Amino acid sequence: ISETRSPLPLLFRRRSSGQIIRNIATVSSSLLPAFGTVIDEGYLQLKKYVVAPYDHRYRMWQTFLVVLVVYSAWASIFELAFKKAATGTLSHIDLGVDAFFAVDIVLTFFVAYLDTTTYLLVDDHKKIATRYLTKPWFIMDVASTLPFQTIYSIFSSRMNHEEVFGFLNLLRLWRLRRVSQLFIRLEKDTRFSYFWTRYFKLVGVTLLAVHSAACIYFWLAYNHPLEDETWIGSEVNDFKHRSIWLSYTYSMYWSIVTLTTVGYGDLHAVNTGEKVFNMFYMLFNIGLTAYLIGNMTNLVVHSAVQTFAMRDSINDILRYANKNRLPENLKEQMLAHMQLKFKTAELKQEEVLEDLPKAIRSSISQHLFRNTVENAYLFKGVSEDLVTQLVSEMEAEYFPPKVEIILQNEIPTDFYVLISGAVDVMSYKNGTEQFLSTLGAGDLAGEIGVLFNIPQPFVVRTKRLSQVVRLSHQHFKQIMQPHSEDGKKIISNFTQYLKELKKDMLDELPFLTESLEEMDIQERIPNDDQRDVQAHNSLEDESTEGPHVTSLFTKSIRVIIHGHHPEELPTEKVTFGKLVYLPDTVEGLLGLAGNTVLLNPSVHNK
């Protein structure tokens, strides 16, 4: 389509990331193309002499016009009520303002518009002109811009029909739609506070209502045949010949007092016309007051909703803890967790991520956590593909100080990588708590229980506010299945880490010394097909199994290898079988059979 251009390429034409963010922050949702629409990204420019409606220079021009609209809205009603002002300095200012809006009418013929069927910008000059001329707002734009009184004075030497021209000037109120469009755009612009944008909008509506009512009320008094039988004539003698600003002050005073329902009674309706206007104005005030109070209440309450919810949740926790007589330390942990939950909820992290596609969520995780995970001891030297998959499946969590992340002897469902903060590793023995070590950013917690598939051997408790990423046992196992080489590297890293553990921690893992010895045996077993064949603990009988790591990464058949036939008693010292993983190729089996560590093996399926 030669006459249409996608609005999206222009968004990304700018090289500065800050400019892109500012442009996206203000772009209207109506500029999104419809599903199925073909967008030609080769067109980076509109046709010559065509302006994009979201161009920052055009937006600045529109913002400047809004300032002039505010003046027009004030002056048009003011000049209707105070006729002397319409022939003074304000008349020259009005001509200048009208000239700017006349330029905008001409400029509109060169502004691309959005096709509502294809949601693409149309930059064909003929189509732009036809659309603008056939729409009602062209006539209203022209009518609100023409200086009727000045044109009449040029062709007539007398200035009659001043009242008619005053009402024609009210056509300038049509320009107020620009202010409404500006506030709609500002409310969606993330660079501006939504609260203050709504606040200024409400103040503007109130001031316009007060100003309009004051001018109309004075107009009723000015056009009444008897000055003394008017609301202002009964207080100010010969008010028609007094200062304009004195009369305007009296009018605004009455309007504000009536709007706020104070009603001092010093200025009140005298004739029938004024009383009728007062009735309608007070009925209008009821709706306006309800609108203002409702909007302000929503703005104020919205900022306090989270606070009320947090207080209710804390009260519920306290009632639950007292009813069930929970210990104080556990109650403190519950309260700390709830407070942290609401603090992080203010950031809207979970809500934001849930609404995003998985690819974007993964990219965010890679940006935030990849560097820390890569430098963790367990994953050093593994492939980038494995790290990417692991990080994509990790979930971030916050923990307040003095909260237990892992309990001793619990099922090893997850392990954690510390992103920030610190945790203490402890154990309970004979009813006493024993401190073992402290872990910091980049360290792992809970991996021993997960990799050995045993109950967690230690208690892990936060020292201060800590952020961690969590990976479940099942996800880790599924990810590792096709990565045999990375599995070997992880086993090697894990073995080296275990060898460097402090004696206090090794004492809590009695099986670990023997397991490490058998891991060394496994490293010396040749294996032609590069599969993991790992020797395990010495077994007293066929039903006993020790902790093992290789099952996380392989699906081999486990067998017990003896130094004699299982039905024959050995003539030498009785030896127990060794649990290994049976290779799935003949070459691997021959390599295992040729191992000098185990001579003349016979195989007995476990």
Side-chain angles (χ1 to χ4, degrees):
I1 304 176
S2 60
E3 66 273 7
T4 59
R5 298 291 185 272
S6 166
L8 297 181
L10 291 180
L11 293 181
F12 300 98
R13 186 178 59 189
R14 299 174 176 84
R15 298 302 180 189
S16 170
S17 60
Q19 290 179 337
I20 292 175
I21 292 174
R22 289 193 294 271
N23 201 24
I24 292 177
T26 59
V27 68
S28 171
S29 59
S30 61
L31 292 178
L32 296 177
F35 285 115
T37 303
V38 178
I39 300 175
D40 186 359
E41 297 187 1
Y43 294 99
L44 298 180
Q45 296 285 349
L46 297 176
K47 284 186 176 180
K48 193 175 182 179
Y49 303 121
V50 175
V51 180
Y54 49 82
D55 186 273
H56 71 283
R57 292 166 296 183
Y58 182 71
R59 286 284 176 88
M60 292 177 61
W61 167 255
Q62 292 295 316
T63 304
F64 170 70
L65 291 182
V66 167
V67 178
L68 301 183
V69 168
V70 174
Y71 166 78
S72 298
W74 174 84
S76 57
I77 304 176
F78 183 81
E79 293 172 358
L80 172 65
F82 303 92
K83 296 181 177 61
K84 289 189 293 183
T87 58
T89 306
L90 292 182
S91 62
H92 302 292
I93 298 177
D94 291 342
L95 289 176
V97 171
D98 291 338
F100 281 107
F101 283 99
V103 172
D104 184 68
I105 292 176
V106 176
L107 181 61
T108 305
F109 286 95
F110 300 92
V111 178
Y113 70 91
L114 192 70
D115 190 336
T116 56
T117 57
T118 62
Y119 283 83
L120 298 176
L121 288 179
V122 178
D123 59 357
D124 182 80
H125 290 283
K126 184 177 180 180
K127 289 188 176 183
I128 294 173
T130 302
R131 178 177 178 270
Y132 185 45
L133 291 173
T134 55
K135 295 294 182 179
W137 54 75
F138 170 73
I139 298 176
M140 294 300 299
D141 286 345
V142 173
S144 62
T145 303
L146 288 176
F148 292 102
Q149 191 167 350
T150 303
I151 295 175
Y152 181 82
S153 63
I154 294 175
F155 293 98
S156 176
S157 59
R158 296 178 299 174
M159 286 298 297
N160 298 326
H161 311 293
E162 292 183 2
E163 202 71 37
V164 176
F165 294 123
F167 282 106
L168 288 176
N169 284 339
L170 293 180
L171 291 173
R172 298 171 183 169
L173 295 176
W174 164 256
R175 300 168 181 171
L176 284 172
R177 64 187 178 87
R178 296 176 183 268
V179 180
S180 177
Q181 293 171 355
L182 174 66
F183 277 108
I184 291 175
R185 182 162 58 89
L186 291 180
E187 288 174 359
K188 298 178 181 179
D189 195 331
T190 57
R191 296 174 297 171
F192 298 94
S193 168
Y194 178 79
F195 175 87
W196 289 110
T197 301
R198 293 286 296 176
Y199 177 80
F200 283 117
K201 180 179 180 180
L202 296 176
V203 171
V205 170
T206 304
L207 292 178
L208 179 62
V210 169
H211 170 73
S212 301
C215 292
I216 294 174
Y217 203 45
F218 180 82
W219 181 85
L220 291 174
Y222 191 89
N223 289 278
H224 195 273
L226 301 175
E227 293 185 11
D228 295 337
E229 296 184 4
T230 60
W231 65 273
I232 190 173
S234 60
E235 296 290 333
V236 181
N237 295 327
D238 195 21
F239 69 90
K240 291 185 179 180
H241 299 89
R242 302 288 291 271
S243 169
I244 294 176
W245 301 110
L246 175 66
S247 300
Y248 183 66
T249 302
Y250 269 83
S251 301
M252 289 294 291
Y253 170 76
W254 168 86
S255 182
I256 293 174
V257 168
T258 305
L259 177 67
T260 56
T261 67
V262 176
Y264 292 116
D266 49 350
L267 296 176
H268 58 277
V270 176
N271 56 65
T272 304
E274 293 173 354
K275 292 179 180 179
V276 172
F277 177 76
N278 267 268
M279 288 189 293
F280 281 104
Y281 183 50
M282 285 186 284
L283 290 174
F284 169 78
N285 287 344
I286 295 174
L288 179 61
T289 303
Y291 171 76
L292 295 176
I293 294 176
N295 277 270
M296 290 303 298
T297 302
N298 283 336
L299 291 176
V300 174
V301 171
H302 179 73
S303 62
V305 168
Q306 289 290 337
T307 303
F308 291 143
M310 183 185 72
R311 293 178 66 88
D312 291 340
S313 299
I314 289 176
N315 290 332
D316 292 339
I317 288 176
L318 291 175
R319 283 194 296 267
Y320 178 85
N322 293 332
K323 180 179 180 180
N324 294 277
R325 299 180 181 179
L326 298 180
E328 286 297 323
N329 63 334
L330 188 56
K331 185 192 300 185
E332 291 177 0
Q333 290 187 33
M334 295 168 64
L335 292 175
H337 174 76
M338 186 58 64
Q339 291 174 345
L340 181 62
K341 174 184 176 182
F342 280 96
K343 285 182 180 179
T344 55
E346 293 176 358
L347 302 176
K348 302 292 183 183
Q349 295 185 98
E350 294 183 0
E351 290 83 350
V352 170
L353 294 178
E354 286 177 357
D355 294 335
L356 296 176
K358 181 175 176 58
I360 297 180
R361 294 200 304 268
S362 298
S363 298
I364 294 174
S365 297
Q366 301 295 327
H367 174 73
L368 295 176
F369 310 125
R370 183 186 182 96
N371 187 49
T372 304
V373 174
E374 279 182 331
N375 292 324
Y377 82 87
L378 194 63
F379 306 115
K380 285 185 177 179
V382 300
S383 64
E384 293 186 359
D385 292 342
L386 178 62
V387 175
T388 300
Q389 295 178 35
L390 291 173
V391 173
S392 298
E393 293 297 332
M394 290 181 174
E395 297 181 9
E397 288 184 294
Y398 285 97
F399 286 95
K402 299 181 180 180
V403 171
E404 293 174 350
I405 300 178
I406 299 174
L407 296 176
Q408 190 171 351
N409 294 323
E410 73 174 355
I411 299 175
T413 56
D414 309 279
F415 71 90
Y416 303 85
V417 181
L418 271 72
I419 303 300
S420 62
V423 298
D424 288 334
V425 180
M426 298 172 296
S427 66
Y428 285 102
K429 195 171 185 179
N430 299 325
T432 60
E433 188 178 275
Q434 180 184 359
F435 172 80
L436 299 176
S437 67
T438 298
L439 303 179
D443 292 331
L444 277 74
E447 79 281 11
I448 294 179
V450 169
L451 293 177
F452 277 120
N453 196 23
I454 60 173
Q456 292 289 1
F458 307 116
V459 176
V460 179
R461 180 184 299 161
T462 56
K463 293 185 64 176
R464 54 180 180 268
L465 177 64
S466 302
Q467 183 186 16
V468 302
V469 286
R470 172 171 54 87
L471 183 62
S472 70
H473 185 180
Q474 293 300 323
H475 284 156
F476 181 57
K477 185 175 181 179
Q478 292 173 3
I479 293 173
M480 292 306 306
Q481 291 293 348
H483 296 275
S484 59
E485 292 300 323
D486 289 327
K488 294 178 183 179
K489 186 62 180 176
I490 288 177
I491 293 176
S492 175
N493 293 339
F494 184 56
T495 304
Q496 185 62 34
Y497 170 77
L498 294 178
K499 292 178 179 179
E500 297 173 357
L501 281 179
K502 296 180 180 179
K503 185 178 184 304
D504 292 341
M505 297 186 72
L506 289 174
D507 292 341
E508 299 296 325
L509 303 169
F511 64 88
L512 194 54
T513 303
E514 188 175 355
S515 296
L516 291 175
E517 292 175 356
E518 297 191 358
M519 287 180 185
D520 291 337
I521 294 175
Q522 181 257 335
E523 291 177 358
R524 295 194 297 268
I525 296 177
N527 196 335
D528 293 339
D529 63 349
Q530 300 301 316
R531 290 193 53 88
D532 288 320
V533 179
Q534 180 186 12
H536 272 263
N537 299 11
S538 295
L539 306 178
E540 295 184 357
D541 54 58
E542 297 178 2
S543 63
T544 304
E545 296 185 20
H548 57 85
V549 182
T550 314
S551 60
L552 282 172
F553 316 124
T554 64
K555 294 183 178 179
S556 302
I557 301 174
R558 295 183 298 171
V559 297
I560 299 175
I561 298 181
H562 300 270
H564 58 88
H565 193 279
E567 297 179 358
E568 297 178 0
L569 292 177
T571 57
E572 301 177 358
K573 183 180 177 181
V574 177
T575 59
F576 298 99
K578 294 289 184 178
L579 179 64
V580 298
Y581 284 85
L582 186 65
D584 57 359
T585 63
V586 175
E587 291 80 0
L589 187 60
L590 292 175
L592 181 62
N595 179 27
T596 58
V597 177
L598 298 175
L599 299 175
N600 301 322
S602 60
V603 179
H604 172 66
N605 287 320
K606 185 177 181 330

